[in-house]
Amino acid sequence: MQTTVLAIDPTHPDPAVIAEAAALLREGELVAFPTETVYGLGGNALDANAVAAIFAAKERDASDPLIVHIAEFDQLNDVAREVSTTAHDLAERFWPGPLTLVLPKAQGIPPGVTAGGGTVAVRMPAHPVAQALIRAAGVPVAAPSANRFMRTSATTAAHVLEDLGGRIPLILDGGPADAGIESTVVRVDDGNVTVLRPGAVTVEALEQHLGRPVEVAVPKAAVGAMASPGMLERHYAPRARLHYDESASPAQVVERAMFAAEGGTSVGLLLAEEDRIPGLSSYIQVRRLGRERDLEQVARMLFATLRELDSVGVDEVYVRAFPRQGAGLAVHDRLRRASARE
Ligand code: TXA
Ligand code: MG
């Protein structure tokens, strides 16, 4: 299959391009499109064949459910059977935006979307291209991140092409994704809010809005219970082996990277803007994610930088730890999984 990449203005998307993409979705085809978090691989959420095609294109395991994207609050009733007061309150505060709510699923949602489960993940993206596309398609759009299974999420159209070229007919190129990290997935039970996947909406923002603490599911414990199947330990992995030790200081991480490089390994090193490197050998590929205080910038750069280091061909990547607050919690979560051994 020939994959077409069409450039689209991220703030004022061309209606003709949107109409073409929407027509493909209505015909059961797949379209990759930008959202404010990462690129999504979209298909008609009400069409079981389109949903199956998403899993096939990504080589994704059928046990990992998809997020359904909507453009209007009215569409929520087509996706979720029931929206609790707390879920409604969170949607009103954070939509459109990078928050995904896990809710009881509506009848019309094919079982493939939810991996056979009784709940469905829903989000209303803020990106103008995503909104225009969902509106023009006239159906809710199931869209996982537009990467192949086990790869880091795609934050540019070039990443999507790298992973899914030849497998899907169309990629809308709206430039680099703004957040660079996926949405925050939350489960709401009886007013209890649990973060299943830390993401672009921070835990602090959720707590500030709710006026009470929010639980963050510990991924390891969640694997058995399959609270969020995407929380499998090894995930979001680059090709290079990633070394992430939260307890190491930046200076220790630099030291370990230099030691590995001296042993003849080709090494990448991810640091903060302000980290000092004493007499660094020129054969280490150093990349700066952003200042330690600017965790949103670090999140924005993370996946793209890991992909870039893969394309340079390093064997091992050493990364310094960033504070676990704000967007740093999602950064920590992705680094921890990308460095997991199994
Ligand atoms: O930012 C995002 O969320 C992007 C953009 C495209 O919207 N999408 C995305 O989708 O990251 P995906 O499929 O790569 O990740 C979806 C996550 C997975 O961890 C999955 O297990 C979880 O959401 N999930 C989906 N449905 C669920 C459900 N019913 N219950 C619990 N977790 C669910
Ligand atoms: Mg994903």
Side-chain angles (χ1 to χ4, degrees), residues 12-102:
H12 297 96
D14 179 350
V17 175
I18 290 292
E20 184 180 338
L24 283 170
L25 288 177
R26 277 196 305 271
E27 287 159 20
E29 299 283 352
L30 307 185
V31 176
F33 60 96
T35 83
E36 71 277 24
T37 55
V38 298
Y39 273 70
L41 172 60
N44 179 354
L46 306 178
D47 175 345
N49 291 325
V51 170
I54 292 176
F55 283 91
K58 277 191 65 121
E59 295 171 40
R60 179 173 173 132
D61 195 90
S63 66
D64 194 0
L66 306 178
I67 297 175
V68 177
H69 297 67
I70 58 175
E72 327 261 358
F73 274 90
D74 283 352
Q75 283 183 298
L76 193 50
N77 296 321
D78 302 334
V79 180
R81 178 165 46 78
E82 196 188 303
V83 183
S84 67
T85 316
T86 305
H88 200 269
D89 172 44
L90 288 174
E92 282 211 314
R93 164 66 183 82
F94 292 100
W95 283 359
L99 182 72
T100 296
L101 297 170
V102 174

Side-chain angles (χ1 to χ4, degrees), residues 39 49 88 113 128 135 159 180 187 274 293 296 307 322:
Y39 273 70
N49 291 325
H88 200 269
V113 171
R135 240 177 234 128
H159 299 159
R187 184 180 57 206
E274 59 270 35
R293 300 289 292 276
E296 286 182 12
R307 279 190 182 247
F322 287 87

Side-chain angles (χ1 to χ4, degrees), residues 178-214:
D178 183 42
I181 204 132
E182 303 88 343
S183 65
T184 303
V185 179
V186 306
R187 184 180 57 206
V188 187
D189 296 321
D190 280 346
N192 287 325
V193 176
T194 307
V195 172
L196 301 178
R197 178 180 72 178
V201 169
T202 65
V203 170
E204 291 88 338
L206 290 170
E207 290 183 334
Q208 191 184 9
H209 177 69
L210 292 165
R212 57 176 190 272
V214 156

Side-chain angles (χ1 to χ4, degrees), residues 236-263:
Y236 308 107
R239 286 194 195 95
R241 179 164 165 193
L242 188 70
H243 297 269
Y244 174 55
D245 175 359
E246 228 203 323
S247 63
S249 69
Q252 283 171 315
V253 174
V254 170
E255 207 172 284
R256 289 174 196 176
M258 290 172 77
F259 185 77
E262 277 158 26

